[in-house]
Amino acid sequence: MTINSNENKTAMQEILLLQRSDNFCSLGNIFLHSPVMIRRRTFSLQRLLFFVPLLILMEQPAASQEHHSSVSSTWLILQTIPSLTWISLPAQINFALEWEATPVLYSFGMNRLDPRWHFMKVTQPERFAGSMEFNISAQLYTSKIGSSHWGFSGQIVTHLPLIERGEYLGLHLGAARYTIAGLSSTYLLGGVSTLFGFLHYTIKYSPVEIIWMHSVEFRFF
Amino acid sequence: MISGCNPLITRFIAKSFEDIPRDAETVATKIEHPILPHVGLSILWVGHATCLIQIGDKVFLTDPMFGNTAGLISKRRIEPGIAPSSIDKLDFILISHIHFDHLHYGSLEMLSKTAVMLMPPGSREYTPEFGFSDYRELHPWEIFESGGVRITAVPVNHFNGRYGFDASWSESDTFTGYVLEYQGKTVFFAGDTGYDSEKFKEIGKRFTIDAALIPIAPIEPRDFMRRFHTDPQEALQVFEDAHAKTMIPIHHRTFVQGLDSSLTYAQDQLKHLVSEQHLEGRVLILNVGEQKILIP
C-alpha cells in the first residue's frame, strides 16, 4: 500500500494504528475505519477501460446466431460448484468459495459458425480464445471481513490468448467493482491464466483507495 | 477436471510424468514432398490419428496433431512423420472429436488455409478461428459434397467434452467417423471409437471401402477402455464388419495412452493377430512417416 496525499496519510495512519491494535484483522476493518473508502471520484482510466472495448465491439461484423446450445439442467447443476480462491487482502490472506455468472460475453476469437454473443453459457475456448465479458460473482470468505463473510463483485474483463489460443496461457485485463462488508470500491485488474483457463493469477488495484489485492483462483465456470 | 479425482486418471497422470525427461524418438527419413503428382489412393501415417490421405488431386488430413503434448499432460513419444509445412496442398481437414489429441489448436494454426474443416456437431463451440476457407459441422450420415468429393459423417462410439466436466452437458454426440469418396475410391476414417457391431456393419452395407483407418489403442484397463477404444482384436472385427479391402491401424505408438505397458503394446498384439489370421496382405502396419500407395 502506498500513500500519495495528505488525506490518505491520515487514513493510512489510522489503519496502521488499527494494525497495531487487536481490532485490525481484516479488509473489512479498513473499509469500516478508513475515510479513503468513503470518498468517491471519477477516474478517467476506468472510463477508458469500460468504453474503449465497447467501441471495438461495435465495429465488429455481425456473427451467425443460427445455432447455440441452450442451458441444460446438467449445466445448471454444475454451475453450483464454486471456484476456489486464495485472495491476499491488505491485512490477511483469505480463502473463499466463489460463484460466478456471465450475463453476457462477446467472443472475437472463435470460428465463423459460432455466435459472437453468449448469454450465461460460455465454453472455455469462447472465453479464452479472445473475448470481452461482463461477469458477476459472490464470494464466501472463510474469515469474516468486517461484519460479513460475503463479498460481491461485477467485472468487465477482456481475455487475450497468448499460447494455444489461451488454453496454455492467457492474459486478462479489466475493471471490477467489489462490495465487501457493505462498502464498494473500483479496481483495475490484470492477470494470467493457464491450464485451459482453470488456474488464474490476478492482481487488482484500486487507484482511488490505493489498495492492491492478489488472488490465485481455481476457476470453474 | 472433475474426473481428475478418478484413481485411473491419477495413475495415467503419474505414468505421463515418468515420460517428461524422455526425448521423443526421431523419424529417420521424413518425406519432404508427401503430395504426389499422380496417384489413385495414398495414405501417409503422420502419427496418432493423423493421416494424410490423397485421392487423385484431392488431399485430406485427419485429426491434425503435430504438438509435443496432448492436453499439457501426455508427452509425444515419437515426432510427427512429416513437417506440417510439407503439406503444400490441402483440401479437407477432418476432425473426429474435440479431445486435445484430435482437435489441437497449435497444429491447425500450421496448416494451409485453403482447406475446408469438417467436424462433428457441437465442435463449433470449441473451435477458434484459424482462417480456413470454410467450417462445417456434420451430423451422423450427413453428406458434404464439394468439387466431386463426397464426405459422409458416420456414427462411431466415443465420449463427449474436451475438459472432462463438459462431457455431461453436450446435447448431441460430439464425435464422428468419416467416409471419403472421390474418383471411385473410398476411405473410412474411424477416428477414435469403441466397438459397435451394428454401426460398423451398417457402414459396410452402405459403402465399398478400399481402405479403413481404425484405432487400436489404448487397450488397458480394458474394462474401462472397451466402451471408447477398440483394441487390436476389436479393430479387426470393425475391419471385417465394414468389409474393407485394406486396414491401416491408427491411434497408437505416439502418446502415452491409458495404462498400456509399452508404446508398442497395441502394435505387437495386432502383429500377432494378423499373423494368426493370415491377414498380412490386407492389414498394413505403417511406421510413423511411412506413405503407402494403395492404388497407383
Side-chain angles (χ1 to χ4, degrees):
Chain A
M1 224 180 280
T2 54
I3 302 167
N4 61 359
S5 72
N6 288 336
E7 187 185 0
N8 284 351
K9 269 180 192 167
T10 313
M12 197 62 200
Q13 282 161 0
E14 190 179 338
I15 293 164
L16 290 171
L17 281 171
L18 283 164
Q19 269 182 318
R20 288 188 200 111
S21 75
D22 292 339
N23 294 332
F24 188 91
C25 63
S26 67
L27 182 70
N29 292 46
I30 301 172
F31 286 142
L32 294 172
H33 290 92
S34 169
V36 291
M37 302 305 293
I38 298 160
R39 187 186 52 190
R40 295 282 172 263
R41 73 181 180 206
T42 309
F43 183 66
S44 58
L45 188 58
Q46 288 167 28
R47 284 190 166 184
L48 271 176
L49 270 167
F50 275 77
F51 290 112
V52 170
L54 279 175
L55 287 171
I56 294 167
L57 296 187
M58 288 163 70
E59 290 299 312
Q60 299 292 327
S64 156
Q65 297 284 347
E66 65 184 59
H67 163 86
H68 195 70
S69 62
S70 57
V71 169
S72 66
S73 53
T74 320
W75 180 85
L76 274 172
I77 291 164
L78 284 169
Q79 297 312 300
T80 61
I81 300 172
S83 301
L84 310 176
T85 303
W86 287 265
I87 186 161
S88 156
L89 304 171
Q92 66 186 90
I93 294 174
N94 243 321
F95 176 72
L97 302 176
E98 188 165 13
W99 289 267
E100 301 97 347
T102 304
V104 60
L105 177 142
Y106 180 84
S107 170
F108 51 81
M110 296 298 282
N111 72 85
R112 65 204 76 150
L113 294 181
D114 198 47
R116 294 203 169 183
W117 291 98
H118 304 275
F119 305 97
M120 298 307 286
K121 189 180 174 190
V122 183
T123 64
Q124 302 285 85
E126 284 166 344
R127 174 173 284 115
F128 296 111
S131 71
M132 185 173 179
E133 70 171 308
F134 168 62
N135 70 55
I136 51 175
S137 73
Q139 302 95 35
L140 176 61
Y141 294 96
T142 51
S143 308
K144 238 180 190 181
I145 296 178
S147 57
S148 171
H149 282 277
W150 288 94
F152 302 93
S153 71
Q155 301 187 99
I156 289 184
V157 189
T158 301
H159 302 277
L160 301 168
L162 296 179
I163 301 176
E164 286 283 324
R165 303 296 174 126
E167 281 200 329
Y168 289 9
L169 191 65
L171 175 71
H172 318 292
L173 300 168
R177 185 88 178 156
Y178 269 79
T179 300
I180 306 173
L183 290 167
S184 301
S185 48
T186 304
Y187 290 82
L188 301 177
L189 66 88
V192 289
S193 67
T194 186
L195 279 178
F196 316 104
F198 288 100
L199 188 62
H200 291 241
Y201 172 69
T202 309
I203 300 174
K204 298 181 184 90
Y205 170 65
S206 167
V208 178
E209 285 86 10
I210 323 290
I211 293 173
W212 290 91
M213 294 199 293
H214 305 259
S215 60
V216 176
E217 301 149 29
F218 184 78
R219 195 173 283 181
F220 179 82
F221 70 108
Chain B
M1 278 288 157
I2 290 169
S3 61
C5 304
N6 187 314
L8 171 66
I9 304 287
T10 313
R11 283 166 68 196
F12 169 69
I13 291 171
K15 198 164 179 287
S16 299
F17 277 122
E18 287 171 17
D19 278 330
I20 289 174
R22 292 183 194 161
D23 289 332
E25 193 184 320
T26 53
V27 174
T29 317
K30 282 191 183 182
I31 295 172
E32 285 181 17
H33 303 288
I35 312 300
L36 304 170
H38 304 288
V39 72
L41 169 60
S42 73
I43 294 173
L44 188 154
W45 186 41
V46 182
H48 205 53
T50 312
C51 294
L52 186 73
I53 303 164
Q54 187 177 351
I55 308 176
D57 59 335
K58 300 293 182 191
V59 182
F60 309 77
L61 189 66
T62 62
D63 288 345
M65 178 54 183
F66 295 91
N68 292 327
T69 67
L72 277 172
I73 294 170
S74 185
K75 193 180 172 188
R76 191 175 197 112
R77 294 290 303 276
I78 182 163
E79 62 178 23
I82 51 170
S85 58
S86 68
I87 307 170
D88 45 25
K89 179 188 189 304
L90 187 58
D91 298 293
F92 300 96
I93 295 167
L94 309 172
I95 302 294
S96 66
H97 60 296
I98 58 176
H99 291 167
F100 298 123
D101 52 335
H102 295 259
L103 177 65
H104 184 251
Y105 299 159
S107 300
L108 288 165
E109 274 176 7
M110 300 174 194
L111 298 173
S112 162
K113 304 308 173 198
T114 55
V116 175
M117 183 170 158
L118 302 179
M119 48 196 179
S123 305
R124 67 177 65 183
E125 296 161 31
Y126 291 87
T127 306
E129 178 61 59
F130 295 102
F132 294 127
S133 67
D134 200 0
Y135 299 83
R136 293 291 177 95
E137 282 187 349
L138 295 186
H139 291 79
W141 303 116
E142 195 176 339
I143 294 164
F144 174 79
E145 286 182 287
S146 171
V149 175
R150 186 181 162 96
I151 300 174
T152 309
V154 293
V156 295
N157 269 9
H158 204 51
F159 63 100
N160 289 326
R162 181 171 175 84
Y163 305 102
F165 68 88
D166 53 347
S168 56
W169 69 59
S170 298
E171 288 165 3
S172 56
D173 290 344
T174 55
F175 44 84
T176 188
Y178 296 96
V179 173
L180 327 174
E181 296 169 281
Y182 184 57
Q183 293 182 343
K185 286 102 185 171
T186 305
V187 176
F188 168 41
F189 169 60
D192 202 355
T193 183
Y195 180 66
D196 187 319
S197 164
E198 259 180 49
K199 283 176 183 164
F200 298 119
K201 281 180 178 164
E202 184 59 32
I203 292 166
K205 272 185 209 164
R206 293 191 189 205
F207 303 96
T208 304
I209 297 165
D210 295 297
L213 311 174
I214 305 172
I216 60 166
I219 299 174
E220 305 295 349
R222 199 67 214 133
D223 286 346
F224 175 78
M225 292 296 180
R226 180 171 286 113
R227 286 175 289 166
F228 315 115
H229 297 283
T230 46
D231 66 7
Q233 179 65 65
E234 290 164 335
L236 289 177
Q237 191 58 51
V238 174
F239 177 45
E240 193 181 314
D241 292 348
H243 302 301
K245 289 175 192 159
T246 307
M247 169 184 156
I248 292 175
I250 58 168
H251 209 266
H252 69 111
R253 253 200 88 181
T254 315
F255 291 98
V256 172
Q257 295 193 95
L259 299 177
D260 292 358
S261 58
S262 74
L263 216 53
T264 57
Y265 184 60
Q267 183 180 297
D268 295 342
Q269 282 196 20
L270 182 67
K271 274 182 184 167
H272 178 73
L273 290 166
V274 165
S275 159
E276 210 175 62
Q277 297 173 31
H278 309 291
L279 291 168
E280 286 87 351
R282 296 181 59 206
V283 177
L284 308 174
I285 303 174
L286 302 185
N287 292 315
V288 169
E290 187 179 347
Q291 187 173 39
K292 201 83 185 171
I293 296 172
L294 298 174
I295 302 172

